[in-house]
Structures are given as C-alpha cells and as structure tokens.
Amino acid sequence: MRNTKRRRRGRAFAVLLTVTLVAAGLLVGGGIWVASYLRGALAPGLSVGCTATVGGTPYTLAVDQTGYAALISGISIQRGMPARAASIALATALQESKLRNIDYGDLDSVGLFQQRPSQDWGTVAQIMDPVYSTNAFYSALDKVPGYVDMPLNDAAQIVQRSAFPHAYAQHESLSRAFASALTGQSPGALSCTLPPATAAGSPAAVEAALKQALGTLPVATMPGQSATTLEVAASGNMGWAVAHWAVANASQLGLTHVSYGGLAWDRNTNDAGTNVGWKGAGNAGGNVVITMAAAGS
C-alpha cells in the first residue's frame, strides 16, 4: 500500500512539474513575443523635433520649445529690435526655463524667463502670459546701453541679475541659429519633423497667432476642396520670418505645407525619419503660402 501511495505521489509530482514547466515556457515565450511586439509598435518612426541649420551646423529644439522661440523672435521684429535681441532672449529663456512656460521656479520665479512678481516684473498671471513676459524682457533689455555689441551673456545677466552670472553663454550658438532663422536672416534654415496632422487647421487661429507673434500683416484666405490656403503678403527677411514661424507652429496649428521664395516645406515629406526640409517649388511669388490640414485629416 505504501509503495502504491508513493508511486501515486511521484506521478502527481511529475505531472505538476510538467505542467509548471510548460506554463513557464508559455509565459516566457509569450513575454518575449509581447516585448518584441511592443518594441516594434513603439519604435519611433520619426525623429520629431525642429532644426535650425545655419553656417552648415544644425541645432535642434523640441517642437514646443521651437514654438516659443518663434514667438520670442517674432516679438523682437514687432518691436523693431535687431536679431541680436532675439538671440539674447532665447539664450535667457533656455537657461531659465529650458524655453518652456513653467509655473514654478526658484523662490517666486515663473514663466519663460523666470521673472519674479516680487521684483516688479508683474503679477503671476501676467508673467505666465508668454507675450507679456517676452515684452517685459525686451523692455528691460532695451534699457541696457550698447547691448547689441556686448557679449550675449553680459547683456542677459544685466537684465536677469542671476545667481549664476555666466550660465547664459552656453546657449549662445543654438540661440543665434534659431534667432537667425526665425527673424528671417537665414532663408530656408528652419525645418520641423512632425507626425501627420490629425485635425483640420483653422485660418482664424493661424491669423490670430501670426498677429500675436509678428504683428498685423495683410492676409488672404482661399478655401479649397481639400485644404485651406492662407497667403501672407510679406517680402525679404519678413517673408522668411513668416515662413519659418509657420513651420515652427505647424504642429499646434495643423499646418501641412509652407512655401515662399521658390522653396517649400512639406510636413509629410520625410526621409529616414527626418523631414527633407525646404526644397524647390514652382511658386516664387512674393507671398508666403500656408496650407492647413483639411477636415477629416
């Protein structure tokens, strides 16, 4: 009887061991398959971001950072300030907030430039408005004698009075490249790699954002069957400032195509995961042509 019980226990143990091993194998195999599937599903197909290429050297920012860079640079143009002012402002915002409109910081600092209500920069609500905070920075910079000719770091430090007085210089090359592109000094220099548009663009929203950044410009809209086209009358450096502003804001405004000066940027033309940038186009007219995603995109 004891031998029979032992044999039964042995067989039960063997069955349990076999089931356990099979289950473990299925889990491991399934885990490997799931991991492999997820790697394939989540592998980034596009190197999303924006690049300013000036003097043959590319400099890159995230899409949201580039949108703020375009606003800061555009406001410098509105105010009639030189591109150097935009470089100083961008370097300052990169150091202070990583060029993002954050609602926290050292002591009571907030916003793009980490300005402090207690230091008479304005209320928290005002400083958190990127247009207000940018104008506040430029108003202070405008009062710095000879800021155009002094080292970028020194000009920024006079405005900011930072506890880290030499920190701004590290951002100078990147800031100069983006300022050069976004103020129209470097034609066809800014390109963004973006996923396909998922919502239709709004001409009213584009016009409002453009006016906020670059001021009032002559604009005409022409609804089409598959898309809406907006034309902005601008020439020379201003034309390129508008064109690059549109590319910089293509993600949030649902823009798919921008052309100016015989060149065009197409959101959906990529190579090896990166947008191909500005290429030759038939339209060499004096207007910047901005195309928005159509309804149902």
Side-chain angles (χ1 to χ4, degrees), residues 27-48:
L27 285 172
V28 171
I32 292 172
W33 180 85
V34 170
S36 176
Y37 173 80
L38 288 176
R39 278 196 300 270
L42 299 178
L46 294 173
S47 300
V48 176

Side-chain angles (χ1 to χ4, degrees), residues 252-294:
Q252 68 175 20
L253 293 174
L255 311 183
T256 59
H257 191 274
V258 183
S259 65
Y260 177 67
L263 297 174
W265 171 84
D266 189 327
R267 176 178 184 146
N268 298 316
T269 304
N270 304 298
D271 181 32
T274 302
N275 190 268
V276 298
W278 292 83
K279 298 297 180 183
N283 177 23
N287 292 342
V288 180
V289 180
I290 301 171
T291 303
M292 283 149 271

Side-chain angles (χ1 to χ4, degrees), residues 219-275:
V219 175
T221 57
M222 296 185 301
Q225 292 183 351
S226 60
T228 298
T229 299
L230 182 150
E231 291 193 25
V232 184
S235 61
N237 290 348
M238 178 59 88
W240 277 111
V242 172
H244 286 153
W245 172 88
V247 173
N249 287 277
S251 178
Q252 68 175 20
L253 293 174
L255 311 183
T256 59
H257 191 274
V258 183
S259 65
Y260 177 67
L263 297 174
W265 171 84
D266 189 327
R267 176 178 184 146
N268 298 316
T269 304
N270 304 298
D271 181 32
T274 302
N275 190 268

Side-chain angles (χ1 to χ4, degrees), residues 179-248:
S180 181
L182 290 165
T183 58
Q185 308 295 313
S186 297
L190 181 75
S191 178
C192 292
T193 300
L194 305 170
T198 57
S202 161
V206 175
E207 286 191 58
L210 178 63
K211 182 178 180 179
Q212 190 177 60
L214 287 160
T216 302
L217 294 167
V219 175
T221 57
M222 296 185 301
Q225 292 183 351
S226 60
T228 298
T229 299
L230 182 150
E231 291 193 25
V232 184
S235 61
N237 290 348
M238 178 59 88
W240 277 111
V242 172
H244 286 153
W245 172 88
V247 173

